[in-house]
Amino acid sequence: KPVQEAKPLCKAAMVAAGTAFTYLEPEKEVISRSDDECVVALVDQWYLIYGEPDWKAAVQRHVNETMNMYNPAVLSAFNETINWLSEWACSRSFGLGTRMPWDPKFLIE
């Protein structure tokens, strides 16, 4: 197979076997809205797996069948976000806030 096809297959197999993990890094300097340089650090965090199929289906059903959206663009934005989300950090290790019930060294984001 060409590298373009083989690379994602190898990645998936290695992650599934526990011999690798997905690491994402910004492609260029990241500047915040307050014009500060953002520094990224690899830290322990809790993540919500929004891409989990049962969760995603339940949320899509709720949004499309239960919620009243007066503007179709809002409904579209909700659905686009649901489809885009995969994993999202839900904790941090410093600052003020509510502690995670199952891991008190972390705060709810």
Side-chain angles (χ1 to χ4, degrees), residues 23-57:
Y23 174 74
L24 302 174
E25 190 171 290
E27 295 178 3
K28 59 183 181 177
E29 182 182 44
V30 177
I31 302 295
S32 72
R33 287 179 273 183
S34 59
D35 204 33
D36 294 311
E37 179 183 358
C38 296
V39 179
V40 179
L42 179 60
V43 296
D44 287 333
Q45 282 185 295
W46 286 97
Y47 284 83
L48 297 176
I49 304 174
Y50 290 107
E52 194 276 319
D54 291 339
W55 179 89
K56 186 175 275 198

Side-chain angles (χ1 to χ4, degrees), residues 12-27:
M14 292 172 70
V15 169
T19 57
F21 64 91
T22 302
Y23 174 74
L24 302 174
E25 190 171 290
E27 295 178 3

Side-chain angles (χ1 to χ4, degrees), residues 69-81:
M69 306 285 182
Y70 297 103
N71 184 337
V74 174
L75 177 61
S76 178
F78 265 91
N79 282 307
E80 286 175 25
T81 302

